[in-house]
């Protein structure tokens, strides 16, 4: 086991070397060339800043059965929890509305004809252009931030679900029909949905990417005093560029992690039946 | 009513059926023209004819997947307007659900009819055994060869216990050995169950071995050219005189038809 892991590390020699040299070059440039912590914080500055947000504790309110308590937690974890909350409010909303919408549009031609022109008009509006209305309609609360992520994530989910449903091979629907599965509801559940699942999964993956990108902006307009995106602006105003960089990197790594976890889940659990799957 | 219910069950009446495929508003192909055919309950009928003459189209119309432009189809004296589980179908192309295992493919029909899962699986084992695929019941279709997929499709259609089984070149992708043994198995099932079989094939040999009657279709547009009654007692011997006489006769008119094409 240990040996195996060592072997796999050895096989990644080039990759490790690449990252390590990038870090060294960064450090050298920051310390000897730029010589300005505000302009380019060095690797060690960023590491110290990282240590600080991980070690400094702060209060985090926890509601359990209308019984509020303050729990001590590292700053970074609190920011993380807030951001995940914003993110998942938006994602779950996009999922709950986008999936049924894409399914109905893909299955019923009449629904497609009603909604397709509307979607085509609204879709090209960049999610961030919705910020004023997010504030007016929903206000400065987590749902306001969630709304922007919702807008960003909604269309990839609708479009991919729709495409998946449009591309169901006719033979599967016909095979189900002659086996006695004749109602729209049953056909959607037993044939269309599983057949479209790879496309839907790809849509969710794209949606998560877009939603994650919207996060920084969504937290920018003051929906809360915590959150990874909010903290980038907060530290920018304080001229703590090393902290800005820490939060940038955390956003990047977390985005990567979420993507990998989703992919692992989708491939392992939902799409066992597919070979050579690339999403 | 004078009939017992059983006499009515798997009776297929095709009355004046025509099918014209229209493309961009202009008539494109006349696939079937005025087909009249009465098939008795429990009869085994084979269809042969040149490629593209409308055999698949005819089966699809009988199953209810396609609607004729003229004429009607009645099964058990009921007019066919939509597909249903009483008319099973084995498609010419691969039709297994790739997201279900072999077993789950086979029990799909029974589950849809409301059979309990355990009961359905028990039944399914029998049919998988019949096509000799029991050990692959947990495999996914992409793990099977083409012939194996087709055998699962046959098991799936049989497990649904249809009155009429429509088979569109089901053995087309199998090797001669498997093909022969499945032909025998199919005959056994047909004799055991209350089942009318409509079977499309390219092989005259197969038709003569299986059928009570052989319907020969003309090249496009598909019309009935000739209906041959196969009067050879079963089990049939492929090397017997009468078998070969009939086969040669059919091959001759089929060759004629190919030329007219
Ligand atoms: N959906 C369709 N749209 C347009 N034309 C069609 C369609 N389906 C079949 N046809 C045409 O109808 C004719 C009959 O097709 P069909 O599939 O019934 O032939 P077949 O006898 O089953 O041939 P084969 O033995 O090669 O399977 C063909 O000329 C084909 O081009
Ligand atoms: Mg055909």
């Amino acid at each position: 086991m240990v040996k195996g892991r060592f072997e796999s590390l050895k096989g990644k020699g080039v990759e490790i070397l690449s990252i390590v040299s990038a870090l060294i070059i960064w450090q050298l440039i920051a310390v000897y060339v730029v010589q300005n912590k505000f302009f380019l914080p060095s690797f060690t500055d960023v590491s110290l800043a990282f240590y600080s947000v991980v070690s400094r504790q702060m209060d985090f309110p926890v509601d359990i059965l209308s019984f509020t308590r303050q729990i001590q937690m590292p700053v970074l974890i609190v920011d993380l929890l807030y951001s995940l909350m914003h993110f998942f409010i938006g994602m779950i909303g996009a999922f709950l509305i986008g999936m049924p919408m894409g399914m109905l549009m893909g299955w019923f031609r009449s629904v497609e004809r009603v909604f397709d022109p509307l979607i085509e008009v609204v879709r090209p509006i960049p999610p961030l252009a919705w910020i004023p209305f997010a504030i007016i309609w929903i206000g400065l609360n987590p749902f306001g931030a969630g709304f922007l992520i919702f807008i960003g994530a909604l269309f990839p989910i609708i479009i991919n679900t729709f495409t998946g449903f449009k591309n169901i091979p006719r033979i599967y629907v016909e095979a189900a029909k002659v086996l006695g599965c004749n109602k729209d509801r049953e056909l959607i559940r037993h044939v269309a949905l599983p057949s479209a699942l790879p496309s839907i999964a790809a849509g969710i993956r794209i949606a998560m990417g877009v939603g994650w990108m919207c996060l920084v902006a969504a937290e920018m307009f003051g929906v809360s005093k915590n959150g990874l995106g909010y903290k980038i602006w907060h530290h920018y105003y304080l001229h703590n560029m090393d902290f800005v960089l820490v939060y940038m990197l955390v956003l990047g790594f977390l985005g990567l992690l979420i993507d990998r976890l989703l992919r692992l889940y989708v491939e392992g659990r939902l799409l066992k039946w597919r070979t050579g799957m690339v999403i | 009513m004078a009939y017992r219910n059983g006499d009515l069950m798997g009776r297929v009446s095709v009355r004046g059926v025509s099918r014209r495929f229209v493309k961009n508003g202009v008539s494109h192909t006349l696939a079937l023209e005025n087909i009249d055919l009465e098939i008795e309950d429990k009869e085994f009928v084979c269809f042969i004819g040149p490629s593209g003459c409308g055999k698949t189209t005819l089966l699809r119309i009988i199953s209810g997947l396609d609607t004729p432009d003229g004429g009607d189809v009645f099964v058990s004296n009921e007019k066919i307007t939509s597909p249903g589980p009483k008319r099973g179908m084995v498609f010419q192309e691969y039709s297994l659900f790739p997201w279900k295992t072999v077993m789950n493919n086979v029990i799909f029909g029974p589950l849809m009819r409301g059979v309990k899962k355990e009961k359905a699986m028990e039944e399914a084992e029998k049919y998988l055994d019949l096509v000799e695929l029991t050990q692959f019941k947990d495999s996914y279709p992409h793990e099977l060869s083409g012939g194996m997929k087709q055998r699962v499709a046959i098991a799936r259609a049989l497990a649904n216990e249809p009155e009429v089984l429509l088979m569109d070149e089901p053995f087309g992708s199998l090797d001669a050995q498997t093909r022969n043994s499945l032909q025998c198995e199919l005959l056994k099932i047909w004799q055991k169950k209350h089942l009318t079989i409509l079977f499309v094939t390219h092989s005259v040999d197969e038709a003569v071995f299986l059928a009570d009657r052989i319907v020969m279709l003309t090249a496009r547009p598909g019309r009935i050219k000739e209906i041959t009654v196969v009067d050879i007692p079963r089990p049939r011997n492929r090397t017997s005189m009468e078998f070969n006489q009939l086969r040669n006769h059919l091959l001759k008119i089929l060759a004629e038809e190919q030329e007219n094409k």
Side-chain angles (χ1 to χ4, degrees):
Chain A
M1 195 52 200
V2 175
K3 191 169 169 235
R5 192 160 296 165
F6 181 70
E7 291 285 307
S8 79
L9 270 188
K10 222 168 73 179
K12 291 257 186 280
V14 180
E15 286 83 349
I16 292 170
L17 199 69
S18 145
I19 289 176
V20 170
S21 11
L23 290 179
I24 291 173
I25 291 171
W26 170 21
Q27 178 76 14
L28 292 178
I29 291 179
V31 174
Y32 295 106
V33 182
V34 179
Q35 297 189 348
N36 181 343
K37 201 174 153 184
F38 180 65
F39 212 79
L40 179 65
S42 70
F43 175 62
T44 41
D45 294 334
V46 171
S47 305
L48 286 176
F50 180 73
Y51 177 74
S52 143
V53 290
V54 173
S55 58
R56 218 171 61 228
Q57 305 276 312
M58 71 175 287
D59 286 338
F60 181 68
V62 182
D63 285 299
I64 306 168
L65 302 169
S66 71
F67 163 77
T68 309
R69 277 193 60 177
Q70 303 286 327
I71 291 182
Q72 290 279 307
M73 255 195 244
V75 178
L76 185 68
I77 300 295
V78 175
D79 289 327
L80 188 83
L81 290 176
Y82 271 95
S83 282
L84 287 179
M85 176 174 70
H86 298 148
F87 181 65
F88 280 105
I89 288 173
M91 282 309 300
I92 291 169
F95 189 75
L96 290 182
I97 293 183
M99 271 261 294
M101 184 119 169
M103 281 161 60
L104 293 175
M105 281 175 64
W107 193 258
F108 299 106
R109 179 89 181 104
S110 51
V111 181
E112 179 192 345
R113 294 186 53 184
V114 171
F115 285 102
D116 192 55
L118 301 180
I119 288 179
E120 285 308 310
V121 171
V122 178
R123 188 165 70 114
I125 302 174
L128 305 190
W130 286 88
I131 290 180
F133 276 109
I135 296 174
I136 291 174
W137 287 346
I138 302 177
L140 297 175
N141 55 46
F143 290 94
F147 178 73
L148 276 200
I149 291 157
F150 165 81
I151 295 283
L154 181 66
F155 295 105
I157 294 183
I158 293 184
I159 304 286
N160 269 52
T161 309
F162 171 75
T163 322
F165 266 57
K166 276 278 163 193
N167 292 335
I168 302 162
R170 198 179 67 167
I171 183 85
Y172 300 141
V173 177
E174 293 189 337
K177 281 185 177 169
V178 292
L179 287 168
C181 179
N182 247 325
K183 296 190 198 77
D184 282 321
R185 212 173 53 93
E186 288 180 335
L187 283 169
I188 288 176
R189 178 167 156 221
H190 295 289
V191 181
L193 212 48
S195 168
L197 204 55
S199 173
I200 296 175
I204 291 175
R205 202 164 159 225
I206 297 169
M208 283 196 151
V210 177
W212 196 244
M213 306 245 170
C214 294
L215 190 69
V216 177
E219 291 177 348
M220 208 174 81
F221 55 92
V223 291
S224 66
K225 287 270 163 274
N226 290 96
L228 300 170
Y230 169 76
K231 281 299 171 68
I232 287 188
W233 290 100
H234 174 74
H235 286 292
Y236 165 70
Y237 289 126
L238 298 177
H239 290 199
N240 293 335
M241 296 313 282
D242 41 356
F243 283 89
V244 171
L245 206 48
V246 166
Y247 280 99
M248 281 169 63
L249 290 173
V250 170
L251 274 168
F253 279 115
L254 216 63
L256 182 71
L257 185 73
I258 291 178
D259 191 60
R260 281 292 153 91
L261 286 180
L262 180 75
R263 185 169 171 166
L264 215 70
Y265 175 75
V266 166
E267 285 184 3
R269 298 283 305 279
L270 299 182
L271 299 175
K272 267 188 300 201
W273 52 274
R274 286 195 99 201
T275 42
M277 154 91 208
V278 202
I279 66 162
Chain B
M1 206 179 277
Y3 298 107
R4 280 182 297 118
N5 195 25
D7 295 329
L8 263 169
M9 252 172 67
R11 209 188 141 102
V12 181
S13 317
V14 180
R15 297 187 192 149
V17 162
S18 304
R19 180 73 170 103
R20 184 187 295 278
F21 288 104
V22 179
K23 200 173 191 176
N24 307 330
V26 283
S27 168
H28 193 60
T29 343
L30 183 58
L32 292 173
E33 191 177 30
N34 205 9
I35 304 278
D36 271 305
L37 192 60
E38 289 291 323
I39 295 166
E40 296 303 317
D41 181 36
K42 261 189 138 296
E43 204 180 8
F44 198 133
V45 175
C46 280
F47 294 84
I48 40 181
S51 177
C53 73
K55 305 180 292 292
T56 300
T57 307
L58 182 59
L59 284 205
R60 287 172 57 84
I61 289 173
I62 295 171
S63 77
L65 287 172
D66 201 353
T67 34
D69 296 305
D72 294 299
V73 175
F74 296 85
V75 174
S76 325
N77 277 9
E78 231 176 275
K79 192 174 160 194
I80 299 306
T81 51
S82 67
K86 286 183 180 171
R87 278 150 288 130
M89 176 111 164
V90 178
F91 292 87
Q92 190 169 8
E93 63 266 52
Y94 300 131
S95 65
L96 294 182
F97 303 126
W99 56 87
K100 285 182 184 293
T101 59
V102 165
M103 175 55 94
N104 286 332
N105 262 287
V106 177
I107 63 175
F108 180 79
L111 289 186
M112 283 292 124
R113 279 183 297 141
V115 177
K116 286 265 171 306
K117 184 156 185 184
E118 272 153 43
K119 178 89 179 9
M121 283 175 70
E122 228 176 83
E123 285 289 307
E125 293 267 357
K126 275 194 248 162
Y127 291 104
L128 284 175
D129 205 32
L130 214 64
V131 293
E132 297 177 359
L133 284 174
T134 315
Q135 56 165 318
F136 289 95
K137 65 180 177 209
D138 295 321
S139 305
Y140 284 93
H142 72 82
E143 295 166 299
L144 306 179
S145 73
M148 287 155 90
K149 283 183 212 171
Q150 208 54 332
R151 272 142 68 196
V152 178
I154 294 167
R156 180 173 75 172
L158 287 170
N160 212 21
E161 307 201 313
E163 290 170 8
V164 178
L165 185 55
L166 308 163
M167 305 180 86
D168 197 352
E169 293 182 42
F171 303 153
S173 57
L174 301 177
D175 61 287
Q177 209 62 33
T178 320
R179 198 175 173 131
N180 286 354
S181 85
L182 276 176
Q183 285 168 358
C184 295
E185 291 300 340
L186 183 64
L187 283 177
K188 267 192 222 152
I189 295 164
W190 169 70
Q191 279 155 350
K192 218 161 53 189
K193 303 259 169 191
H194 198 116
L195 193 61
T196 308
I197 297 185
L198 279 65
F199 190 107
V200 170
T201 176
H202 269 146
S203 154
V204 172
D205 184 86
E206 186 165 72
V208 177
F209 186 75
L210 293 172
D212 290 327
R213 280 193 297 166
I214 298 173
V215 177
M216 173 87 71
L217 296 175
T218 62
R220 222 175 323 147
R223 274 181 253 107
I224 292 180
K225 184 177 173 80
E226 188 179 303
I227 299 183
T228 315
V229 178
V230 186
D231 241 346
I232 311 171
R234 294 189 180 89
R236 292 176 186 157
N237 181 351
R238 286 171 211 270
T239 49
S240 74
M241 253 263 286
E242 37 190 352
F243 192 104
N244 278 305
Q245 260 170 4
L246 188 55
R247 193 181 56 186
N248 291 340
H249 166 70
L250 289 168
L251 280 172
K252 211 178 84 205
I253 48 176
L254 189 60
E256 260 171 44
E257 204 43 55
Q258 303 271 23
E259 267 165 37
N260 292 346
K261 213 161 113 174

